Amino acid sequence: MAAWGERLAGVSGVLLDISGVLYDGGEGGGAAIAGSVEAVARLKRSRLKVRFCTNESQKSRADLVGLLRWLGFDVSEGEVTAPAPAACLILKQRGLRPHLLVHDGVRSEFDQIDTSNPNCVVIADAGEGFSYQNMNKAFQVLMELENPVLFSLGKGRYYKETSGLMLDVGPYMKALEYACGIEAEVVGKPSPEFFKSALQEMGVEAHEAIMIGDDIVGDVGGAQRYGMRALQVRTGKFRIFWCSLGL
């Protein structure tokens, strides 16, 4: 097995996932994963550029950074690439007015977006908001459009909190895709455009970067397809059978 020095040769930037890598969410804000605060501090003291790349869609970027700082991490809002701000930029560029099926904690990110007479749907990890009524309303909006557009903030299957595994946005995205006969546009990992944006903010090329995450599909697979190196941690949603199945 190659030494870590060889594996990291040429790497000048590190993209860090947040949930399941730095902390597990949950009651009272959650808990930092053992050693993660110190690991981030060591990375920031090194020659490497560091950026946080997350699919978090239950919290605004400001609230997420506030939580991380409360847990002891050295992180600023400008260091975080998150899907909600990226989605807002796309909506403005394309003149789209979304029906929002999102968590109340992230709704403030869309305060400057026109949501009247919607001509698309944005779905995120709405948590308890994924009721039949709310899913059916999103379905109805899409079916009434001549050219339905569905944006999904990430497409993860599940994630880990301190209380256990939790369904993510992916299964609900798939339900709307199936019901409407459409394919969602994913804003977040593993979208190539999302990785491109994070790398541009960090100022490094794909072949100079490594992605560290707990999701073999969204983090590791997405990064590798974009030309980066990737490392899967054994925390968060990591499961041995994923590796054995090649997922």
Side-chain angles (χ1 to χ4, degrees), residues 142-163:
L142 289 167
M143 292 298 285
E144 289 168 2
L145 297 173
E146 184 177 350
N147 297 300
V149 178
L150 171 64
F151 294 101
S152 181
L153 305 192
K155 64 172 188 178
R157 289 180 284 184
Y158 58 87
Y159 56 92
K160 182 178 178 292
E161 290 197 342
T162 52
S163 60

Side-chain angles (χ1 to χ4, degrees), residues 131-223:
S131 64
Y132 174 81
Q133 180 180 4
N134 289 342
M135 284 289 289
N136 197 55
K137 177 59 179 177
F139 163 73
Q140 289 173 337
V141 170
L142 289 167
M143 292 298 285
E144 289 168 2
L145 297 173
E146 184 177 350
N147 297 300
V149 178
L150 171 64
F151 294 101
S152 181
L153 305 192
K155 64 172 188 178
R157 289 180 284 184
Y158 58 87
Y159 56 92
K160 182 178 178 292
E161 290 197 342
T162 52
S163 60
L165 298 177
M166 313 291 287
L167 277 177
D168 203 345
V169 65
Y172 301 96
M173 176 198 81
K174 287 294 184 182
L176 289 176
E177 285 185 329
Y178 178 69
C180 300
I182 60 175
E183 184 174 346
E185 297 183 35
V186 177
V187 182
K189 298 171 292 185
S191 164
E193 287 300 314
F194 196 66
F195 284 118
K196 178 182 178 181
S197 173
L199 291 173
Q200 286 177 337
E201 291 286 347
M202 194 162 53
V204 302
E205 299 295 327
H207 69 275
E208 300 172 318
I210 186 168
M211 175 75 212
I212 299 175
D214 65 329
D215 188 325
I216 195 69
V217 177
D219 297 328
V220 175

